Every structure is written in C-alpha cells, then in structure tokens.
C-alpha cells in the first residue's frame, strides 16, 4: 500500500475515536513519520489529537513530543489541512515551519474560510512539499457536520426516534413511556456524547422530563449543549433539565415579549434567545446554533419537532430505534402530517438488531 494512504488511514482510524471531544473545534489527528533518506525505513515517531475544548491543535500536540534527528526526513500526516490563522494560539503552519518537517500530507482541505487552501499554499511557499486530498471520501463523511457549518452556516441534523414497532413514541398523548431497551439507551448516550448540541421541544421537557446529558462513565464531560424550543416559555421549572444547568449549558429559544417569564427562567442559569414571530423558524434557529459552533445537532423529540424538521427538509440523518411491541390506536405518532408537495426519500445505510430492538440509520 502507498505509504501516504497507509498513514492517512491511521489518522482516520484515530479520528473516529475523538469525535465529539473537541467542541467548538473540529477533531484532527496528526502523525509524524521519520524516514531515512532513501525512504526505505519509516516509523511513526509522534502523534497528536486536537485537545478537549479545541486547543492545542493536533499538529501542535504532535510537534511538542518530538526530537528531530540529523540525516532524517520528517513528514507530518494530518486528517485536516493545517491552519494558518493565529487564533487562540500561533497557527499550525507557523509551528511546522519552525521545525524540520519537510513534507505535509493531509486528507481534507479545511472548509473554514480563514484556511481553505491558504495553509497548503503557505507551506509550499516556504519550501515544504504538500500532498492534499488523500482519502477524502472517508474524511468528508466524518467532517460532514463541520463542512455544513463552515460552508452552509447550519449544523448536520440527526433525528433520533425511539419508538414501538408501529412507530409510536408514547402509548397516549401527554404520557411518557419507556419503549426501547437499556442497550438502546446506552447507544443514545454515545450519540449525545458525539453531538455538539441536543434539541427538544417543550412537550418533551414537560412530559418526558429528560436530562439530555451523557451519563456513560468517562464520557460525561462530553455531554452536549441542551436546546429547548418553547414559544410560550411554558416549561415546568422543576424539570430535571433545570437542575444542573451550571454543568450542562442550556439554551431556550422563545418568542419575544415575555419578560416576566424570562426573568424567572433566567434564575436557572439558562441562556434565553428571544426571536420575533417571523424569525421563530427552524432555519433561523439552526443558523444561530451554527454561529455558536454547533456542527452536529441531535434532535430527540417529540413528534411535532421531528415533523417540522422533516417538513423543512432539514434532516441529514434519521436514526430509528424500534421495539418489538405494537402500541396501536391511542399511540402518539413519531411523525405526523408531512407536506404532500415534498418528496421525502432517504437512503438506508444501516440496520441492526439490538437484543429485542432494532436500529435503522437512513440518510438524505
Ligand atoms: C488544525 N488542527 O487540530 C484543528 C484545526 O479557535 P481556533 O483558533 O483554535 O481555530 C479553530 C479553527 O482551526 C477551526 O475552525 C479550523 O479551521 C481549525 N481547526 N486546525 O490545524 C486542529 N482543530
Ligand atoms: Zn491548527
């Protein structure tokens, strides 16, 4: 196998392990390979991942650990084009240029307009050989939310439905039921850890009383920001969600002119975004979330919210967990009335059995 492909493959393998840990920055993995002049001997001498919280960047971590030797060549392999803007720290390109790295190989060009090819150009102009675009089919998938955020100012939207065999999410209106099994619950917690934000409607808060965090040991700190949509701000303030807003950041989108209610809810340490009637649209709300750095948004319910996202054509991925029992007549549908003039078709990507439940993944 071509050496460049081999090492980029390793960065991609490791990249999958750090998804959801680097908000608000994209996850990146870098490797440094030391070679003899004939390139017959090659070995990985350092590696780095983007740190929790987004800094230091992967390249900076990899460079920190290395001792460069005389008579050897050094290639830096990285999943994303190295940055060239000085943000919270010196840029990676500038750091690379101070070392003996004489070649950089990356997979995806950084869609962030501050970089987008400039990182590559700057390295080349300073005598570093650069190869870009290795295995981009794979990295485009991993960075899909990041690409949507930077290019289209919206996050990737993943709808998660936990339903009965006949796609009902509760046995009757205003009732909360556990429908799927405990293993599904664990998978959902992993999905939460991978997401930057999780969104629900006011009924889900008031009826299901979820915490919306990740409660898997070791991953708790990667819990997403919690987003609640509530036009009238008629939320039960004793709900679980309002018990730990200091630890799990929480944002509520509501309509303007409800000062009294906002005062009360603000005591819970939540952030309230007020929009006028015309602006209270999913397309505007997700744009606001993108501005906050949200690249991957998990939508957890309920039925009205799922339906609105589908009607607006704002669903990139559907994950449906289904139990093995039917609910029937009184049950609440996961999806209500869809606009007839919209053709909604998804591609099946995955189907698996989770004990007595199933998991189906579909994409646009
Ligand atoms: C890299 N390596 O590991 C990451 C990069 O807020 P800042 O200053 O840290 O910059 C964030 C931007 O840096 C982000 O939008 C993306 O362009 C790049 N992320 N770049 O070279 C990394 N995480
Ligand atoms: Zn960087």
């Amino acid at each position: 196998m071509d050496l460049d492909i081999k090492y980029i493959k390793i960065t991609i393998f490791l990249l999958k392990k750090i998804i959801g840990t680097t908000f608000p920055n994209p996850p990146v993995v870098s490797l440094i390979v030391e070679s003899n002049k004939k390139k017959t001997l090659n070995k990985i001498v350092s590696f780095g991942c983007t740190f929790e919280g987004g800094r230091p960047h992967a390249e900076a971590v990899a460079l920190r650990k290395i001792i460069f030797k005389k008579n050897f060549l050094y290639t830096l392999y990285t999943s994303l084009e190295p940055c060239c803007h000085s943000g919270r720290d010196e840029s990676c390109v500038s750091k690379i240029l101070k070392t003996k790295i004489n070649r950089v190989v990356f997979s995806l060009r950084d869609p962030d307009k501050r970089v987008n090819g400039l990182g590559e150009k700057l390295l080349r102009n300073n005598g570093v050989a650069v190869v870009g675009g290795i295995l981009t089919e794979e990295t485009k998938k991993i960075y899909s939310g990041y690409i949507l955020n930077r290019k289209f100012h919206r996050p990737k939207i993943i709808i998660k439905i936990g339903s009965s065999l006949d796609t009902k999410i509760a046995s009757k209106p205003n009732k909360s039921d556990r429908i799927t099994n405990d293993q599904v619950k664990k998978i959902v917690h992993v999905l939460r850890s991978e997401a930057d934000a999780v969104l629900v409607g006011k009924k889900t808060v008031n009826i299901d009383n979820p915490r919306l965090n990740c409660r898997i040991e070791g991953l708790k700190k990667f819990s997403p920001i919690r987003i609640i949509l509530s036009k009238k701000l008629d939320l039960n303030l004793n709900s679980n969600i309002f018990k730990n807003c200091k630890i799990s950041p929480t944002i509520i989108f509501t309509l303007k002119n409800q000062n009294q209610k906002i005062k009360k809810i603000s005591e819970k340490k939540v952030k309230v975004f007020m929009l006028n009637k015309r602006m209270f649209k999913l397309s505007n709300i997700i744009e606001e979330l993108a501005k906050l750095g949200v690249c991957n948004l998990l939508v957890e319910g309920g039925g009205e919210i799922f339906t609105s996202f589908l009607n607006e054509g704002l669903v990139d991925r559907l994950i449906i967990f289904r139990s093995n029992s039917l609910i029937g007549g009184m049950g609440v549908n996961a999806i209500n009335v869809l606009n007839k003039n919209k053709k909604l078709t998804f591609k099946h990507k995955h189907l698996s059995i989770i004990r007595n439940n199933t998991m189906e993944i579909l994409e646009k």
Side-chain angles (χ1 to χ4, degrees):
M1 193 195 307
D2 178 288
L3 272 186
D4 288 349
I5 292 177
K6 171 179 153 182
Y7 289 121
I8 287 291
K9 256 193 186 202
I10 299 172
T11 69
I12 294 172
F13 174 80
L14 295 170
L15 183 59
K16 289 179 185 161
K17 314 276 172 211
I18 60 160
I19 291 172
T21 68
T22 59
F23 180 82
N25 279 352
V28 178
V29 173
S30 304
L31 299 176
I32 298 176
V33 172
E34 184 183 81
S35 314
N36 60 354
K37 292 247 157 91
K38 285 187 181 157
K39 289 222 167 180
T40 49
L41 293 169
N42 304 284
K43 76 171 182 204
I44 297 172
V45 286
S46 184
F47 96 101
C49 302
T50 311
F51 218 69
E52 290 166 23
R55 281 270 176 179
H57 286 181
E59 298 87 329
V61 178
L63 288 169
R64 248 190 218 169
K65 301 178 194 163
I66 188 175
I67 299 163
F68 292 100
K69 295 190 218 141
K70 260 191 186 170
N71 302 323
F72 283 93
L73 299 170
Y74 292 89
T75 304
L76 180 125
Y77 289 90
T78 188
S79 56
L80 188 72
E81 177 186 4
C83 71
C84 52
H85 68 286
S86 38
R88 287 182 264 164
D89 190 9
E90 187 186 2
S91 78
C92 291
V93 166
S94 146
K95 284 196 165 125
I96 293 166
L97 292 176
K98 287 179 183 160
T99 70
K100 270 194 75 181
I101 304 277
N102 63 308
R103 190 164 172 265
V104 169
V105 180
F106 68 85
S107 179
L108 194 76
R109 172 170 280 193
D110 189 345
D112 189 301
K113 62 176 188 296
R114 295 169 297 178
V115 187
N116 204 235
L118 284 177
E120 175 177 356
K121 196 170 161 194
L122 213 60
L123 286 166
R124 276 224 178 93
N125 289 350
N126 284 281
V128 176
V130 187
V131 179
I134 306 276
L135 297 179
T136 50
E137 247 176 65
E138 281 187 57
T139 42
K140 268 185 191 161
K141 280 187 208 149
I142 300 171
Y143 287 115
S144 54
Y146 176 60
I147 296 170
L148 280 170
N149 180 300
R150 293 304 194 269
K151 285 199 171 163
F152 302 100
H153 315 292
R154 75 161 179 92
K156 175 174 177 178
I157 298 166
I158 303 155
I159 292 234
K160 174 242 123 189
I161 298 174
S163 79
S164 63
L165 194 54
D166 50 344
T167 327
K168 308 278 184 189
I169 53 172
S171 57
K172 57 181 181 192
N174 300 323
K175 183 153 187 310
S176 173
D177 298 282
R178 259 228 75 70
I179 296 174
T180 49
N181 67 28
D182 280 355
Q183 265 164 294
V184 166
K185 194 172 177 181
K186 285 198 185 119
I187 299 173
V188 171
H189 280 237
V190 172
L191 292 177
R192 284 180 184 169
S193 78
E194 290 180 349
D196 303 319
V198 56
L199 180 148
V200 292
K202 76 118 195 279
K203 280 193 187 167
T204 300
V205 173
N206 289 346
I207 301 168
D208 288 344
N209 198 16
R211 279 172 275 179
L212 300 180
N213 52 9
C214 168
R215 298 191 289 282
I216 296 175
E217 242 5 276
L219 293 179
K220 287 181 183 170
K221 61 181 169 186
F222 304 122
S223 287
I225 302 172
R226 303 174 307 175
I227 316 290
I228 306 165
L229 306 191
S230 171
K231 281 187 183 168
K232 294 186 194 150
L233 220 53
D234 43 357
L235 295 160
N236 177 357
L237 295 185
N238 295 320
S239 307
N240 282 330
I241 235 171
F242 296 116
K243 288 189 181 138
N244 60 350
C245 298
K246 270 190 207 155
I247 304 165
S248 291
T250 308
I251 301 173
I252 303 173
F253 282 87
T254 190
L255 287 177
K256 269 188 174 157
N257 302 326
Q258 316 190 68
N259 296 342
Q260 215 40 41
K261 283 185 187 167
I262 286 172
K263 221 170 138 196
K264 226 169 165 198
I265 223 157
S266 299
E267 287 165 13
K268 301 283 181 188
K269 304 278 175 258
V270 300
K271 198 171 170 186
V272 184
F273 264 78
M274 288 174 283
L275 302 173
N276 62 34
K277 242 183 177 168
R278 200 175 45 85
M279 293 300 279
F280 201 96
K281 285 194 293 197
L282 289 181
S283 54
N284 290 327
I285 290 168
I286 60 167
E287 199 179 319
E288 287 301 331
L289 295 180
K291 278 187 208 157
L292 296 175
V294 174
C295 294
N296 294 289
L297 176 68
L298 185 68
V299 178
E300 284 210 32
E304 286 171 31
I305 298 279
F306 294 146
T307 310
S308 305
F309 272 95
L310 286 163
N311 272 332
E312 302 267 329
L314 290 172
V315 178
D316 299 297
R317 174 177 257 221
L318 268 167
I319 307 182
I320 307 172
F321 296 100
R322 231 184 272 269
S323 78
N324 58 342
S325 51
L326 296 158
I327 284 183
M330 288 287 285
V332 179
N333 288 328
I335 297 157
N336 303 315
V337 188
L338 291 173
N339 291 341
K340 285 207 186 87
N341 50 356
K342 283 229 171 87
K343 189 172 172 268
L344 286 174
T345 310
F346 290 87
K347 289 187 197 108
H348 279 99
K349 291 285 171 181
H350 173 93
L351 177 63
S352 59
I353 295 172
I354 301 156
R355 230 168 42 209
N356 56 352
N357 288 185
T358 58
M359 174 167 79
E360 239 175 300
I361 302 181
L362 300 105
E363 279 175 4
K364 234 185 197 167

